Amino acid sequence: MPAPPQFIKYVDDNANGFIQRLAKAVQIPSVSGDASYRKHVFEMATFLEGELQAVGAQVKRVPLGKQVLDGQEIDLPPALLASIGNDPKKKTILCYGHYDVQPALKSDGWDTEPFQLVVNEKTGQLIGRGSTDDKGPVLGWINILEAHKKLGLELPVNLKFCFEGMEESGSEGLDDLIKSEVGKGKFFDGVEAICISDNYWLNTRTPCLTYGLRGISYYNVTIRGPAKDLHSGAFGRTVHEPMTDLIHIMSRLVTPQGKILIPGVEDLVAPLVTGEKERYDALDYSIQDVEAAVGAPIALSDDKATVLMGRMREPSLSLHGIEGAFSAAGAKTVIPAKVSGKFSIRLVPNQTPDNIDPLVISYIQSEFKKLGSKNTLIIENLHGGKPWMADPTHWNYVAATKATEAIYNKKPDLTREGGSIPVTLTFAESLGVNVLLLPMGRGDDGAHSFNEKLDRSNYIEGTKLLGTYLYEVGSI
Amino acid sequence: MPAPPQFIKYVDDNANGFIQRLAKAVQIPSVSGDASYRKHVFEMATFLEGELQAVGAQVKRVPLGKQVLDGQEIDLPPALLASIGNDPKKKTILCYGHYDVQPALKSDGWDTEPFQLVVNEKTGQLIGRGSTDDKGPVLGWINILEAHKKLGLELPVNLKFCFEGMEESGSEGLDDLIKSEVGKGKFFDGVEAICISDNYWLNTRTPCLTYGLRGISYYNVTIRGPAKDLHSGAFGRTVHEPMTDLIHIMSRLVTPQGKILIPGVEDLVAPLVTGEKERYDALDYSIQDVEAAVGAPIALSDDKATVLMGRMREPSLSLHGIEGAFSAAGAKTVIPAKVSGKFSIRLVPNQTPDNIDPLVISYIQSEFKKLGSKNTLIIENLHGGKPWMADPTHWNYVAATKATEAIYNKKPDLTREGGSIPVTLTFAESLGVNVLLLPMGRGDDGAHSFNEKLDRSNYIEGTKLLGTYLYEVGSI
């Protein structure tokens, strides 16, 4: 059953109000990864709590304890557990989203103030930190509730919401909460399927449903040498330099073509089954799409399926940077005393942090040994999460497919994503129900980068899509 | 002729006043490499000008023009050209020093505020940025002039001083000034030898005279890929990652044992002559010294001469860091869009930036080609300077040897240094006279690191040494 026409009309008629709502949310710099911004994460929780209550939801604000960040012990942002409707004849859907954002400074390269939503009338873009990740999608649900309240329409399903404020910082505290709210009479009792709107279309044209995510295992490789930084004039070619050791180790992790050099890691990847490559060929995607998204002709292959499989069904190893080395502009002649290389591996079935960890650690130890250095090596796993896959033939996906066809007149692409949303797996495993990723934004939104945006049409049509999805679920 | 006893006594009696003078100088954070500190570099010039005038020197403050730093055009700090005495019967000595310092933040690892001189009564250390590099030695000359003025003693030589405020930032502007002041009637006219006190003993026990310095060639290798930073989940194994390319290139520059891998670079090193290794064996130095200085058992070899030759007569290549990559604490999952690896090569005869440059550039270009990457490579030489060697049998060295024996009761080690003081070469080539490096501080002073210090005894005995050197020159 498609959504009633008055709902669709309400969304169109109230688009500017919805954008105002998003502007208010973007204005709150709810950066979870920086202790000095923590008060704004709380402010954002309060804003969202108020919005939910105003449209008729019952909201429980759940404290998640404390964490140590930037050397201080501070309160974790609360989870908001909200619900509306409790009709035993209706299906019950859980919607997850997050109200925290990545850090952003204008000096990172933004053309506009990151925490002021800028509406570009020419391009139709809504530009600001959190616009697409994940404030736009979260407010999409609020917009739907507003429409139903104002129109006096009954919701087609019972809804529960779980909104957190730590997604960009490892969802600290959330796993425990989820596990504690599973069971008879608990908050998640009765949830029959889950919808998460926190990822993106593959391209800029075709909506998608996502049934897989890569996991991650993040490493910190530290080489410690002298007791303090040294002058390269006085000590160059006198002592073992930690940077030299570290760079040698980092160079042995991955080839410029993306092949992971750690023995055994790629052997754990589930083999390609017959017809699987063809499914990637069928997706609405081209090498031009990836190159447009990154702004440079640097795709690893000219073969579309190869590039897509690299992102969706193969592990990747990225070198993120080095802590402790000279990183500023200019020409400092330092031998850094202690340097930490950061890299992560995106995991796919059948890899897990548990089966990857020993391979990574023993390989790095053995490569370090080969260097013949007198420096000291320390390897840490900073965080990890397993990959996730769902059954894309489940009614949850059928409903989302129908909703997409109704709103966009297109069959959605069925995709797996390269990123990790660890909570997806926690929900799937803890609640034992199907999880659907139903994105609102486009592949070029720049979620973790500067000039993050959500297209106006994606916000407005996306609100319709999420609403229509609920109607399709309600009529299954 | 040794210095008169009343001079030696004056220095001992006025040690506390000299330390107060150093404390005033350290308090001025004259960091030349940061535009926001530039006013303090000027403040330091004014302080030093006042000190020079107070002890009877005539001072000319010479503006050196402008530079672009941190995106702004700012005035270069002035050079101070000072002189005292003009007796045609006396020798004329030029003393060079610098009044700018390296950057320092307490958070770099300092135990005390870097810009407040802390006198540790237990260890006898004077701790603070610039204490040994190079404010202590510069004030040593002032202390000598003060003693002579107060005692009514005649100076044994005519003195000229050239103090600059850009040494830690490539001595910008100074070369032109030196060249313009050479010739009949110009400032440097009549200078017969030069003394520079801006390096360190090899160890913590034995004074040294230094007759050679390595040169330097500093490179910035940039790899540019996507138009903006990417999320490693969304794009890992999809595009060529600049960090992967850069790390591969940086790993091919030098081995963990310090051997430079760029073909041809080591071939330019002057071959070891008969008996040369034995000279290094004879220096008062041990592997324990280097390991004590760096605070860890990480010497490249167990053979003393090998380690000394690595520092003094062989080139070294140090990897300093990467600009543009993730460099903070934590676990950010970014694919940096543009990364710049910084490394420098310390040069020895017969290497020069001019003969090294093409080797470095063509090697990196060819290694980059081998990577098969679609990213873009840019190589820049940020700055360079030739190595320098002087004749250690010149009367300038003979005078310094006698002075050292008089003050320290020891024959000084004759050393070459691993660092670069490019102005040394400019003075040697432009004035055509012998240059002597006569250090005040010890090998463990930590000049460019945190907790930089100058031992009280080195400051006070060093003041006597520089004064006595002038008397020995005067009686040659």
Side-chain angles (χ1 to χ4, degrees), chain A residues 326 328-333, chain B residues 28-42 67-72 74-77 98-105 115 129 135 164-172 323 342 383 448:
Chain A
F326 177 49
K332 196 173 171 184
T333 55
Chain B
I28 304 170
S30 50
V31 176
S32 57
D34 183 328
S36 67
Y37 283 79
R38 183 54 53 91
K39 60 178 180 292
H40 299 297
V41 189
F42 275 86
Q67 70 164 156
V68 175
L69 183 60
D70 304 338
Q72 351 169 2
I74 54 175
D75 285 324
L76 285 167
H98 64 92
Y99 61 81
D100 63 320
V101 296
Q102 282 277 317
L105 295 172
F115 294 107
R129 175 55 91 222
K135 290 177 173 177
E164 66 155 323
M166 280 295 284
E167 197 270 347
E168 301 294 1
S169 302
S171 291
E172 205 167 330
E323 184 181 349
K342 316 280 179 99
H383 66 80
H448 284 205

Short mmCIF file of all heavy atoms in Angstrom, two decimals, chain A residues 326 328-333, chain B residues 28-42 67-72 74-77 98-105 115 129 135 164-172 323 342 383 448:
data_model
loop_
_atom_site.label_atom_id
_atom_site.label_comp_id
_atom_site.label_asym_id
_atom_site.label_seq_id
_atom_site.Cartn_x
_atom_site.Cartn_y
_atom_site.Cartn_z
N PHE A 326 56.71 14.84 12.46
CA PHE A 326 56.49 16.23 12.04
C PHE A 326 55.31 16.25 11.06
O PHE A 326 55.31 15.51 10.07
CB PHE A 326 57.77 16.74 11.38
CG PHE A 326 57.66 18.14 10.84
CD1 PHE A 326 57.15 19.17 11.61
CD2 PHE A 326 58.10 18.43 9.55
CE1 PHE A 326 57.05 20.46 11.11
CE2 PHE A 326 58.02 19.72 9.04
CZ PHE A 326 57.49 20.73 9.82
N ALA A 328 53.45 19.43 10.39
CA ALA A 328 53.06 20.79 10.04
C ALA A 328 53.66 21.20 8.70
O ALA A 328 54.36 20.43 8.06
CB ALA A 328 53.51 21.75 11.13
N ALA A 329 53.35 22.42 8.28
CA ALA A 329 53.99 22.97 7.09
C ALA A 329 55.44 23.29 7.44
O ALA A 329 55.81 23.35 8.62
CB ALA A 329 53.25 24.22 6.64
N GLY A 330 56.26 23.48 6.41
CA GLY A 330 57.63 23.88 6.68
C GLY A 330 58.60 22.72 6.63
O GLY A 330 58.29 21.66 6.11
N ALA A 331 59.80 22.96 7.16
CA ALA A 331 60.91 22.03 6.96
C ALA A 331 61.67 21.82 8.26
O ALA A 331 62.77 22.29 8.44
CB ALA A 331 61.84 22.60 5.88
N LYS A 332 61.06 21.09 9.19
CA LYS A 332 61.70 20.83 10.48
C LYS A 332 62.62 19.62 10.35
O LYS A 332 62.23 18.60 9.80
CB LYS A 332 60.60 20.57 11.51
CG LYS A 332 61.05 20.65 12.95
CD LYS A 332 59.85 20.54 13.89
CE LYS A 332 60.30 20.39 15.33
NZ LYS A 332 59.16 20.19 16.24
N THR A 333 63.82 19.74 10.90
CA THR A 333 64.81 18.67 10.75
C THR A 333 64.87 17.80 12.00
O THR A 333 65.90 17.70 12.65
CB THR A 333 66.20 19.27 10.46
OG1 THR A 333 66.50 20.20 11.51
CG2 THR A 333 66.22 19.97 9.13
N ILE B 28 62.10 35.78 26.20
CA ILE B 28 61.56 36.34 24.95
C ILE B 28 61.45 35.18 23.94
O ILE B 28 62.46 34.65 23.48
CB ILE B 28 62.47 37.45 24.39
CG1 ILE B 28 62.66 38.55 25.47
CG2 ILE B 28 61.89 38.03 23.10
CD1 ILE B 28 63.73 39.57 25.11
N PRO B 29 60.23 34.74 23.59
CA PRO B 29 60.07 33.56 22.73
C PRO B 29 60.32 33.89 21.26
O PRO B 29 59.40 33.94 20.45
CB PRO B 29 58.62 33.14 22.98
CG PRO B 29 57.91 34.40 23.36
CD PRO B 29 58.92 35.29 24.02
N SER B 30 61.57 34.05 20.93
CA SER B 30 61.94 34.54 19.59
C SER B 30 61.98 33.41 18.56
O SER B 30 63.00 33.15 17.94
CB SER B 30 63.28 35.27 19.66
OG SER B 30 64.26 34.49 20.32
N VAL B 31 60.83 32.77 18.38
CA VAL B 31 60.69 31.66 17.44
C VAL B 31 60.58 32.23 16.01
O VAL B 31 59.62 32.93 15.70
CB VAL B 31 59.42 30.84 17.76
CG1 VAL B 31 59.21 29.74 16.73
CG2 VAL B 31 59.48 30.28 19.18
N SER B 32 61.53 31.91 15.18
CA SER B 32 61.52 32.52 13.84
C SER B 32 60.63 31.80 12.85
O SER B 32 60.26 32.35 11.83
CB SER B 32 62.95 32.58 13.28
OG SER B 32 63.52 31.29 13.27
N GLY B 33 60.25 30.56 13.15
CA GLY B 33 59.51 29.76 12.17
C GLY B 33 58.01 29.89 12.23
O GLY B 33 57.30 29.16 11.54
N ASP B 34 57.50 30.79 13.04
CA ASP B 34 56.05 30.92 13.23
C ASP B 34 55.70 32.41 13.18
O ASP B 34 56.15 33.19 14.02
CB ASP B 34 55.70 30.31 14.59
CG ASP B 34 54.20 30.31 14.88
OD1 ASP B 34 53.50 31.23 14.41
OD2 ASP B 34 53.74 29.39 15.57
N ALA B 35 54.88 32.78 12.20
CA ALA B 35 54.57 34.20 11.98
C ALA B 35 54.02 34.86 13.24
O ALA B 35 54.28 36.03 13.51
CB ALA B 35 53.59 34.36 10.82
N SER B 36 53.26 34.09 14.03
CA SER B 36 52.62 34.71 15.19
C SER B 36 53.64 35.04 16.29
O SER B 36 53.31 35.76 17.23
CB SER B 36 51.53 33.79 15.74
OG SER B 36 52.09 32.62 16.27
N TYR B 37 54.84 34.54 16.19
CA TYR B 37 55.89 34.86 17.17
C TYR B 37 56.85 35.94 16.67
O TYR B 37 57.79 36.32 17.38
CB TYR B 37 56.73 33.61 17.50
CG TYR B 37 56.06 32.64 18.44
CD1 TYR B 37 55.08 31.77 17.98
CD2 TYR B 37 56.41 32.58 19.78
CE1 TYR B 37 54.47 30.87 18.83
CE2 TYR B 37 55.80 31.68 20.64
CZ TYR B 37 54.83 30.83 20.17
OH TYR B 37 54.23 29.94 21.00
N ARG B 38 56.61 36.42 15.45
CA ARG B 38 57.62 37.31 14.84
C ARG B 38 57.89 38.55 15.68
O ARG B 38 59.03 39.02 15.76
CB ARG B 38 57.18 37.67 13.41
CG ARG B 38 58.17 38.54 12.61
CD ARG B 38 59.59 37.96 12.56
NE ARG B 38 59.67 36.60 12.09
CZ ARG B 38 59.86 36.23 10.83
NH1 ARG B 38 60.00 37.15 9.90
NH2 ARG B 38 59.92 34.95 10.51
N LYS B 39 56.84 39.08 16.33
CA LYS B 39 57.06 40.29 17.14
C LYS B 39 58.08 40.03 18.25
O LYS B 39 58.84 40.91 18.65
CB LYS B 39 55.74 40.81 17.71
CG LYS B 39 54.99 39.84 18.61
CD LYS B 39 53.71 40.51 19.16
CE LYS B 39 52.91 39.57 20.07
NZ LYS B 39 52.32 38.43 19.33
N HIS B 40 58.12 38.78 18.74
CA HIS B 40 59.07 38.46 19.80
C HIS B 40 60.50 38.36 19.27
O HIS B 40 61.46 38.59 20.01
CB HIS B 40 58.68 37.17 20.50
CG HIS B 40 57.32 37.23 21.15
ND1 HIS B 40 57.04 38.10 22.17
CD2 HIS B 40 56.17 36.57 20.88
CE1 HIS B 40 55.77 37.95 22.54
NE2 HIS B 40 55.22 37.03 21.76
N VAL B 41 60.63 37.98 18.00
CA VAL B 41 61.97 37.95 17.41
C VAL B 41 62.50 39.39 17.34
O VAL B 41 63.67 39.65 17.66
CB VAL B 41 61.95 37.28 16.02
CG1 VAL B 41 63.38 37.07 15.53
CG2 VAL B 41 61.21 35.94 16.05
N PHE B 42 61.62 40.32 16.97
CA PHE B 42 62.02 41.73 16.96
C PHE B 42 62.35 42.23 18.37
O PHE B 42 63.31 42.96 18.59
CB PHE B 42 60.91 42.59 16.33
CG PHE B 42 61.00 42.63 14.83
CD1 PHE B 42 60.40 41.65 14.06
CD2 PHE B 42 61.71 43.64 14.18
CE1 PHE B 42 60.50 41.66 12.68
CE2 PHE B 42 61.81 43.66 12.80
CZ PHE B 42 61.21 42.66 12.04
N GLN B 67 59.43 38.43 4.06
CA GLN B 67 59.26 37.03 3.67
C GLN B 67 57.77 36.71 3.74
O GLN B 67 57.00 37.42 4.36
CB GLN B 67 60.02 36.09 4.61
CG GLN B 67 59.39 36.02 5.99
CD GLN B 67 59.85 34.83 6.84
OE1 GLN B 67 59.77 34.88 8.05
NE2 GLN B 67 60.28 33.75 6.23
N VAL B 68 57.39 35.59 3.10
CA VAL B 68 56.03 35.10 3.24
C VAL B 68 56.07 33.90 4.17
O VAL B 68 56.82 32.95 3.94
CB VAL B 68 55.43 34.71 1.86
CG1 VAL B 68 54.05 34.07 2.05
CG2 VAL B 68 55.33 35.93 0.98
N LEU B 69 55.32 33.98 5.25
CA LEU B 69 55.31 32.89 6.24
C LEU B 69 53.87 32.68 6.70
O LEU B 69 53.17 33.65 7.01
CB LEU B 69 56.21 33.25 7.43
CG LEU B 69 56.35 32.19 8.53
CD1 LEU B 69 56.94 30.90 8.00
CD2 LEU B 69 57.24 32.70 9.67
N ASP B 70 53.46 31.42 6.76
CA ASP B 70 52.08 31.09 7.17
C ASP B 70 51.08 31.94 6.37
O ASP B 70 50.07 32.40 6.91
CB ASP B 70 51.88 31.31 8.68
CG ASP B 70 52.88 30.52 9.51
OD1 ASP B 70 53.42 29.52 8.99
OD2 ASP B 70 53.13 30.90 10.67
N GLY B 71 51.39 32.15 5.10
CA GLY B 71 50.44 32.84 4.23
C GLY B 71 50.43 34.35 4.35
O GLY B 71 49.64 35.03 3.69
N GLN B 72 51.29 34.93 5.19
CA GLN B 72 51.31 36.38 5.30
C GLN B 72 52.70 36.91 4.94
O GLN B 72 53.69 36.24 5.17
CB GLN B 72 51.01 36.87 6.72
CG GLN B 72 50.54 35.81 7.68
CD GLN B 72 50.52 36.30 9.12
OE1 GLN B 72 50.81 37.45 9.43
NE2 GLN B 72 50.18 35.39 10.00
N ILE B 74 55.54 39.18 5.96
CA ILE B 74 55.97 39.83 7.19
C ILE B 74 57.43 40.25 7.07
O ILE B 74 58.17 39.74 6.22
CB ILE B 74 55.79 38.92 8.43
CG1 ILE B 74 56.49 37.58 8.20
CG2 ILE B 74 54.33 38.69 8.74
CD1 ILE B 74 56.46 36.67 9.41
N ASP B 75 57.84 41.18 7.95
CA ASP B 75 59.23 41.64 7.94
C ASP B 75 60.15 40.57 8.48
O ASP B 75 59.85 39.93 9.49
CB ASP B 75 59.37 42.90 8.83
CG ASP B 75 58.80 44.14 8.15
OD1 ASP B 75 58.93 44.24 6.92
OD2 ASP B 75 58.20 44.98 8.85
N LEU B 76 61.28 40.41 7.84
CA LEU B 76 62.33 39.54 8.39
C LEU B 76 62.93 40.23 9.62
O LEU B 76 63.01 41.46 9.66
CB LEU B 76 63.42 39.31 7.34
CG LEU B 76 63.08 38.35 6.21
CD1 LEU B 76 64.09 38.46 5.08
CD2 LEU B 76 63.03 36.91 6.73
N PRO B 77 63.38 39.46 10.59
CA PRO B 77 64.06 40.08 11.73
C PRO B 77 65.36 40.72 11.24
O PRO B 77 65.98 40.25 10.28
CB PRO B 77 64.37 38.91 12.66
CG PRO B 77 63.61 37.74 12.14
CD PRO B 77 63.32 38.00 10.70
N HIS B 98 73.14 33.60 16.69
CA HIS B 98 71.74 33.91 16.31
C HIS B 98 70.89 34.04 17.56
O HIS B 98 71.11 33.36 18.57
CB HIS B 98 71.18 32.89 15.34
CG HIS B 98 71.04 31.50 15.88
ND1 HIS B 98 69.89 31.04 16.48
CD2 HIS B 98 71.92 30.46 15.91
CE1 HIS B 98 70.06 29.78 16.85
NE2 HIS B 98 71.28 29.39 16.52
N TYR B 99 69.91 34.92 17.45
CA TYR B 99 69.06 35.21 18.61
C TYR B 99 67.66 34.66 18.46
O TYR B 99 66.81 34.88 19.30
CB TYR B 99 69.06 36.72 18.90
CG TYR B 99 68.51 37.59 17.78
CD1 TYR B 99 67.14 37.76 17.62
CD2 TYR B 99 69.36 38.26 16.89
CE1 TYR B 99 66.64 38.56 16.61
CE2 TYR B 99 68.88 39.05 15.87
CZ TYR B 99 67.50 39.20 15.73
OH TYR B 99 66.99 39.98 14.72
N ASP B 100 67.39 33.92 17.37
CA ASP B 100 66.09 33.25 17.24
C ASP B 100 66.22 31.83 17.78
O ASP B 100 67.33 31.34 18.02
CB ASP B 100 65.62 33.23 15.78
CG ASP B 100 66.55 32.45 14.88
OD1 ASP B 100 67.79 32.55 15.04
OD2 ASP B 100 66.06 31.71 14.01
N VAL B 101 65.07 31.20 17.99
CA VAL B 101 65.07 29.85 18.56
C VAL B 101 64.08 28.95 17.81
O VAL B 101 63.26 29.43 17.01
CB VAL B 101 64.68 29.86 20.06
CG1 VAL B 101 65.72 30.60 20.89
CG2 VAL B 101 63.28 30.45 20.27
N GLN B 102 64.19 27.67 18.09
CA GLN B 102 63.25 26.67 17.60
C GLN B 102 61.91 26.85 18.31
O GLN B 102 61.87 27.38 19.43
CB GLN B 102 63.77 25.26 17.93
CG GLN B 102 64.86 24.78 17.01
CD GLN B 102 64.30 24.20 15.73
OE1 GLN B 102 63.33 23.46 15.73
NE2 GLN B 102 64.91 24.54 14.61
N PRO B 103 60.81 26.38 17.71
CA PRO B 103 59.52 26.43 18.41
C PRO B 103 59.58 25.58 19.69
O PRO B 103 60.41 24.67 19.79
CB PRO B 103 58.54 25.78 17.42
CG PRO B 103 59.24 25.80 16.10
CD PRO B 103 60.70 25.77 16.39
N ALA B 104 58.73 25.89 20.64
CA ALA B 104 58.65 25.07 21.86
C ALA B 104 57.30 25.30 22.52
O ALA B 104 56.88 26.44 22.72
CB ALA B 104 59.77 25.44 22.84
N LEU B 105 56.63 24.23 22.83
CA LEU B 105 55.39 24.26 23.59
C LEU B 105 55.57 23.32 24.76
O LEU B 105 56.18 22.27 24.62
CB LEU B 105 54.21 23.77 22.74
CG LEU B 105 53.84 24.63 21.54
CD1 LEU B 105 52.79 23.93 20.69
CD2 LEU B 105 53.34 26.00 21.99
N PHE B 115 59.83 28.83 27.96
CA PHE B 115 60.35 30.19 27.84
C PHE B 115 60.57 30.87 29.21
O PHE B 115 60.50 32.08 29.33
CB PHE B 115 59.46 31.02 26.91
CG PHE B 115 59.51 30.50 25.49
CD1 PHE B 115 58.44 29.83 24.93
CD2 PHE B 115 60.68 30.64 24.73
CE1 PHE B 115 58.51 29.31 23.63
CE2 PHE B 115 60.76 30.14 23.44
CZ PHE B 115 59.67 29.47 22.89
N ARG B 129 64.24 27.10 26.37
CA ARG B 129 64.45 27.17 24.93
C ARG B 129 65.44 28.28 24.60
O ARG B 129 65.28 29.41 25.02
CB ARG B 129 63.11 27.42 24.23
CG ARG B 129 63.21 27.63 22.73
CD ARG B 129 63.93 26.48 22.01
NE ARG B 129 63.06 25.42 21.55
CZ ARG B 129 63.37 24.12 21.66
NH1 ARG B 129 64.52 23.73 22.21
NH2 ARG B 129 62.54 23.20 21.23
N LYS B 135 71.31 31.36 22.54
CA LYS B 135 71.33 32.58 23.36
C LYS B 135 72.49 32.56 24.36
O LYS B 135 73.11 33.61 24.60
CB LYS B 135 69.98 32.76 24.05
CG LYS B 135 68.88 33.14 23.05
CD LYS B 135 67.50 33.27 23.66
CE LYS B 135 66.52 33.81 22.60
NZ LYS B 135 65.13 33.90 23.11
N GLU B 164 72.08 37.18 13.90
CA GLU B 164 70.87 37.16 13.07
C GLU B 164 69.69 36.54 13.83
O GLU B 164 69.88 35.87 14.85
CB GLU B 164 71.12 36.39 11.77
CG GLU B 164 71.37 34.89 12.00
CD GLU B 164 71.03 34.02 10.80
OE1 GLU B 164 70.04 34.31 10.11
OE2 GLU B 164 71.77 33.05 10.56
N GLY B 165 68.50 36.73 13.27
CA GLY B 165 67.29 36.23 13.91
C GLY B 165 66.52 35.24 13.06
O GLY B 165 65.32 35.03 13.26
N MET B 166 67.20 34.62 12.10
CA MET B 166 66.51 33.67 11.20
C MET B 166 67.28 32.36 11.04
O MET B 166 66.99 31.59 10.12
CB MET B 166 66.31 34.30 9.82
CG MET B 166 65.14 35.25 9.72
SD MET B 166 63.52 34.46 9.96
CE MET B 166 63.34 33.64 8.37
N GLU B 167 68.22 32.06 11.92
CA GLU B 167 69.06 30.88 11.71
C GLU B 167 68.24 29.61 11.71
O GLU B 167 68.48 28.69 10.93
CB GLU B 167 70.15 30.81 12.79
CG GLU B 167 71.31 29.86 12.43
CD GLU B 167 71.11 28.42 12.88
OE1 GLU B 167 70.19 28.14 13.69
OE2 GLU B 167 71.86 27.55 12.42
N GLU B 168 67.23 29.53 12.59
CA GLU B 168 66.43 28.32 12.68
C GLU B 168 65.45 28.20 11.52
O GLU B 168 64.71 27.22 11.42
CB GLU B 168 65.66 28.29 14.02
CG GLU B 168 66.53 28.35 15.26
CD GLU B 168 67.44 27.13 15.45
OE1 GLU B 168 67.41 26.21 14.61
OE2 GLU B 168 68.19 27.11 16.44
N SER B 169 65.42 29.20 10.66
CA SER B 169 64.51 29.18 9.52
C SER B 169 65.25 29.50 8.24
O SER B 169 64.80 30.28 7.40
CB SER B 169 63.38 30.18 9.75
OG SER B 169 62.70 29.86 10.94
N GLY B 170 66.43 28.91 8.10
CA GLY B 170 67.15 29.00 6.84
C GLY B 170 67.95 30.29 6.65
O GLY B 170 68.38 30.58 5.53
N SER B 171 68.16 31.06 7.71
CA SER B 171 68.97 32.29 7.63
C SER B 171 68.55 33.18 6.47
O SER B 171 69.38 33.81 5.81
CB SER B 171 70.47 31.94 7.49
OG SER B 171 70.96 31.39 8.69
N GLU B 172 67.25 33.26 6.26
CA GLU B 172 66.73 34.03 5.12
C GLU B 172 67.22 35.48 5.19
O GLU B 172 67.12 36.14 6.22
CB GLU B 172 65.20 33.97 5.12
CG GLU B 172 64.62 34.18 3.74
CD GLU B 172 63.13 33.82 3.66
OE1 GLU B 172 62.69 32.93 4.42
OE2 GLU B 172 62.44 34.43 2.84
N GLU B 323 52.96 15.72 6.08
CA GLU B 323 51.97 16.80 6.22
C GLU B 323 50.71 16.39 5.45
O GLU B 323 50.80 15.90 4.33
CB GLU B 323 52.56 18.08 5.62
CG GLU B 323 51.67 19.31 5.78
CD GLU B 323 52.31 20.55 5.13
OE1 GLU B 323 53.51 20.50 4.77
OE2 GLU B 323 51.60 21.55 4.98
N LYS B 342 58.19 14.59 4.23
CA LYS B 342 59.35 15.47 4.40
C LYS B 342 60.57 14.62 4.74
O LYS B 342 60.52 13.83 5.68
CB LYS B 342 59.11 16.43 5.57
CG LYS B 342 57.73 17.06 5.63
CD LYS B 342 57.59 18.23 4.69
CE LYS B 342 56.20 18.82 4.76
NZ LYS B 342 56.08 19.99 5.60
N HIS B 383 64.95 23.48 0.91
CA HIS B 383 66.14 24.31 1.09
C HIS B 383 67.38 23.43 1.07
O HIS B 383 67.29 22.21 1.19
CB HIS B 383 66.08 25.17 2.35
CG HIS B 383 66.09 24.40 3.64
ND1 HIS B 383 67.24 23.90 4.19
CD2 HIS B 383 65.10 24.05 4.48
CE1 HIS B 383 66.95 23.28 5.33
NE2 HIS B 383 65.65 23.34 5.52
N HIS B 448 67.33 21.07 19.72
CA HIS B 448 66.07 21.24 18.99
C HIS B 448 64.94 20.44 19.62
O HIS B 448 63.91 20.24 19.00
CB HIS B 448 66.24 20.83 17.53
CG HIS B 448 66.98 21.86 16.72
ND1 HIS B 448 66.83 21.98 15.37
CD2 HIS B 448 67.84 22.84 17.09
CE1 HIS B 448 67.59 22.96 14.94
NE2 HIS B 448 68.22 23.49 15.96
#
